Structure formats: C-alpha cells, structure tokens
Amino acid sequence: MTRIRLIRLMGATGTGKTGAALALAEAFGGAVVNVDSRQVYAGLAVLTAQPTASEQARCPHALYGDTPLSEPVAAGDFARRARVAVADFAAQGYLPLLVGGTGLYFRAIAGGLAPIPPVPAAVRQDMRRQWDSLGPAAMHARLTAVDPDSAAKIAPNDRQRVTRALEVLTATGKPLSCWHREPDPEAPDYDSLTLGLGLPLADLVPRLAARIEAMVAAGAVEEVRRALETYAETVPGLSGIGGPELIGFLTGRLDLEAAKAAWLANTRAYAKRQMTWFRKEPDIQWFAPGEHQAMFEVVRAWLDRSAA
RNA sequence: GCCGAGGUAGCUCAGUCGGUAGAGCAGGGGACUGAAAAUCCCCGUGUCGGCAGUUCAAUUCUGUCCCUCGGCA
C-alpha cells in the first residue's frame, strides 16, 4: 500500500480556511475533511462557520454537521473518523484536504495519541464529582501518590487534566504517563504538506468582529434558539464560543450588544491560543488570507516532487 | 435646591484603625496526548476626582469644589 498524500490546512478562526480549501480542492481535485471540534455538530452551521451547502456542493466534504449536539466528541474518535474519510477520499482519487483549527485533532489524526481505551462515562462523572467535593489540592496530591510523572506535568488547578489522569488509572489500572509512552498502533503514515493561514491578531480582530455581525445577520441567534428547543444549555455541542453568549442573550441575562462583545473577546482569545499552537507546528508554510496563487505554487511544486 | 450613596488599574469593585494599594474580568505571553471553540500557567505604578488644611507623613482625617447615581422637591 502506498502512502496517502494529503494537504493539511490550518490556521486561527477567521483566517479564510474555507475559501482557501475550496480553491485548492477545485485546482487540484481535492476533497475536504473537517478538523474542527465544533463544525462536526449538526444544527449550528452558522454559529460554527461551517461551509454552506453551496460551498459543500463544490467538492466532497466530510465530518461537517453530522453529530448531534448532545453527543460528546473525543479526540480519539474524531481522529478515527477523519482517517476513514481520508482513506475513502484517497481511494476515490481525490487529494484529501484536512482543514480546520483544532490543533489537538490534527495531532491526533497523524498519530499523536496513545492507545488508551475509552473511559466509561460513569468513571468520568464520578471523578469530576470527587474533584468538586474534595478540591484541587487533594485531587492533585492523590495523583502525585499514584502517578507522580503525570502529576509533575499537570498544574494542580487543571481540573480537566487531573481528573483525566485519575480516570485513566481507575479505568485501565495503568497510569496515564505509562500510556503516553506507547505509540498509536493505528497511526497512519501520511505524506503530507502543511499550509498555515495567518495574520497578526490586530488585523484579525476586525475580521472577527465583522464575522460576528454576519453570523447574527445570517441567523445565528435563531439557530441557538432552535437548538434550545431540543437540547439543554449544557449540552457539549453548545459549549463552543458564541453558544453561552447567545444563550445569555436568549435567556435575558445579557443584551445583544453585551453578548456580542463577550463573544468577540472570547473569539479573540481563542484565536490567540490557536496561533500559539500552530506557530510551533513543524514544516508549516505560512500564507496570508486570500494568498491563493502563492499557495498553489507551493502545492504544485510539492505534488511534482512527490510524484517523481 | 435638599438628603443619602459613591468617585481607586481599560471595566466592575476591594482595601489602607494615616506610612503612596489589590482581586476578578479585559489585555499580553506560554502550555497542551480522548471535554481542546476546552482546560491551565506566568505578567498589575495606577496624579486612589480637583484644591486647600491638619500632620514628620494624606489615597486614608477635616474643609471646600467638581462629577455620577438614587430619593425628596
């Protein structure tokens, strides 16, 4: 079996990944695989900036809007689904384009996750409950006793990581730090080109503000209102940026201007975190939004080289 | 106009029984192995509303003025 050749396109929110992906797909016979933890959810197409129906009609797309808001998505599951989509597209003769803004998922897809079996929901719930009643100091001390290597790496206040480490040990009998020394046996060996879309935060912020206005105009508020008819406010799919802010507006806790201001501030902070992550991505080649021609040249050169 | 409550970090506020001040949020930087649009770590000098007075020393006490918000007119 030959190595699957694919392009990875990453960048902070609002840098024009969707448009660039379509341009690449049309120029090189590509098919798009989502690598975004929120765009997988159904029912929030506007709020999560999924490609529109007409955009998705321009080339094959996978993993967009196919998961109910009530369902948690774990990085491992996502990676497995993405690998399947990549293999399918490649088998059909398309050039797979992994496109998105979730750094962890990019890493997980290419093989960064240890083969840890799923932790039962009951164990996770129990561990979170213990955290809430015992507090960070006690829980971190407990982790230090049973898995000192993990404890040394995890900040005491980091509820998510401390409980995760304890959950894994409880569910599997093996410390998380041991698991992390094991490679992923399912890790694919892709031949990949990594492209980044970026611009300075100060230049990105006005675009993000404009995008929020556009989302509101396109019905983001109505979308959340409809989601609340079926789902609870606390459902995983509604936890993305914009969700809590618009819920605040819909329940009268915030006026629309305040909701939009918080939404923008959170989006901005998120973009900053994404940049921090992608900045150190190895072998990434950066482009400004809309710089499609320069990107095409790099892709063309890469395709020629790997074809030879 | 009168009576009350306030004017302290970009915002919301705490505090100093007189020795020039600190939280949350915002902002900046960073981390990141199954919640990742998540979670966490580091970074705080600002005429403490103006002016006078008392004092070795005032953001803190006193007087006065200005402004804001309530209530009464």
Side-chain angles (χ1 to χ4, degrees), chain A residues 23-38:
Chain A
L24 287 169
E26 290 175 335
F28 300 101
V32 178
V33 178
N34 171 40
V35 190
D36 186 294
S37 71
R38 298 294 137 180

Side-chain angles (χ1 to χ4, degrees), chain A residues 146-185:
Chain A
V146 295
D147 183 358
D149 288 351
S150 291
K153 279 186 228 158
I154 302 172
N157 286 334
D158 196 335
R159 177 184 194 253
Q160 231 172 80
R161 292 188 175 84
V162 172
T163 53
R164 164 74 178 157
L166 290 168
E167 281 159 26
V168 168
L169 181 60
T170 304
T172 69
K174 190 159 131 182
L176 184 66
S177 53
C178 292
W179 280 113
H180 283 175
R181 281 180 218 116
E182 292 188 30
D184 187 343

Side-chain angles (χ1 to χ4, degrees), chain A residues 193 195 285 287 293-303:
Chain A
L193 172 69
L195 307 175
Q285 303 199 54
F287 299 89
Q293 289 311 317
M295 215 159 63
F296 286 1
E297 280 165 40
V298 167
V299 172
R300 228 171 266 129
W302 172 73
L303 288 171

Side-chain angles (χ1 to χ4, degrees), chain A residues 72-137:
Chain A
V73 174
D77 299 332
F78 190 93
R80 233 160 276 128
R81 288 156 70 186
R83 289 166 187 168
V84 169
V86 164
D88 286 351
F89 283 149
Q92 293 166 51
Y94 290 106
L95 173 64
L97 305 171
L98 289 169
V99 180
T102 304
L104 177 64
Y105 286 10
F106 274 107
R107 185 179 291 175
I109 291 166
L113 294 186
I116 304 169
V119 174
V123 174
R124 312 191 62 193
Q125 205 177 16
D126 180 52
M127 205 58 78
R128 271 176 266 171
R129 208 169 288 143
Q130 290 188 46
W131 171 280
D132 292 337
S133 63
L134 299 176

Side-chain angles (χ1 to χ4, degrees):
Chain A
M1 190 174 168
T2 60
R3 292 169 83 198
I4 292 177
R5 199 166 55 180
L6 59 79
I7 289 176
R8 309 194 308 153
L9 176 61
M10 52 188 73
T13 186
T15 51
K17 295 187 293 292
T18 298
L22 290 170
L24 287 169
E26 290 175 335
F28 300 101
V32 178
V33 178
N34 171 40
V35 190
D36 186 294
S37 71
R38 298 294 137 180
Q39 294 181 353
V40 288
Y41 284 112
L44 294 179
V46 172
L47 188 69
T48 62
Q50 289 170 34
T52 63
S54 65
E55 285 170 331
Q56 294 199 39
R58 287 163 59 184
C59 72
H61 281 70
L63 303 185
Y64 286 99
D66 65 0
T67 304
L69 294 173
S70 53
E71 198 175 299
V73 174
D77 299 332
F78 190 93
R80 233 160 276 128
R81 288 156 70 186
R83 289 166 187 168
V84 169
V86 164
D88 286 351
F89 283 149
Q92 293 166 51
Y94 290 106
L95 173 64
L97 305 171
L98 289 169
V99 180
T102 304
L104 177 64
Y105 286 10
F106 274 107
R107 185 179 291 175
I109 291 166
L113 294 186
I116 304 169
V119 174
V123 174
R124 312 191 62 193
Q125 205 177 16
D126 180 52
M127 205 58 78
R128 271 176 266 171
R129 208 169 288 143
Q130 290 188 46
W131 171 280
D132 292 337
S133 63
L134 299 176
M139 293 296 270
H140 193 263
R142 200 164 123 195
L143 183 62
T144 302
V146 295
D147 183 358
D149 288 351
S150 291
K153 279 186 228 158
I154 302 172
N157 286 334
D158 196 335
R159 177 184 194 253
Q160 231 172 80
R161 292 188 175 84
V162 172
T163 53
R164 164 74 178 157
L166 290 168
E167 281 159 26
V168 168
L169 181 60
T170 304
T172 69
K174 190 159 131 182
L176 184 66
S177 53
C178 292
W179 280 113
H180 283 175
R181 281 180 218 116
E182 292 188 30
D184 187 343
E186 295 168 34
D189 180 25
Y190 295 139
D191 175 10
S192 63
L193 172 69
T194 302
L195 307 175
L197 281 173
L199 78 171
L201 189 61
D203 298 329
L204 182 60
V205 169
R207 292 168 62 112
L208 297 176
R211 195 169 70 151
I212 283 172
E213 294 302 331
M215 283 179 173
V216 170
V221 177
E222 185 51 33
E223 212 172 52
V224 173
R225 192 199 314 274
R226 252 181 288 121
L228 290 177
E229 284 169 10
T230 311
Y231 299 105
E233 290 181 20
T234 51
V235 105
L238 277 169
S239 65
I241 292 165
E245 295 86 341
L246 288 181
I247 288 169
F249 166 63
L250 288 167
T251 56
R253 291 193 294 266
L254 294 173
D255 64 45
L256 187 57
E257 286 313 306
K260 287 197 286 195
W263 182 0
L264 178 60
N266 289 327
T267 306
R268 173 203 178 103
Y270 169 53
K272 209 157 75 73
R273 272 178 270 136
Q274 288 178 299
M275 288 175 178
T276 300
W277 181 292
F278 293 133
R279 205 174 288 144
K280 57 171 197 178
E281 189 71 24
D283 301 322
I284 186 166
Q285 303 199 54
W286 288 102
F287 299 89
E291 228 184 340
H292 296 347
Q293 289 311 317
M295 215 159 63
F296 286 1
E297 280 165 40
V298 167
V299 172
R300 228 171 266 129
W302 172 73
L303 288 171
D304 290 347
R305 201 180 325 126
S306 46

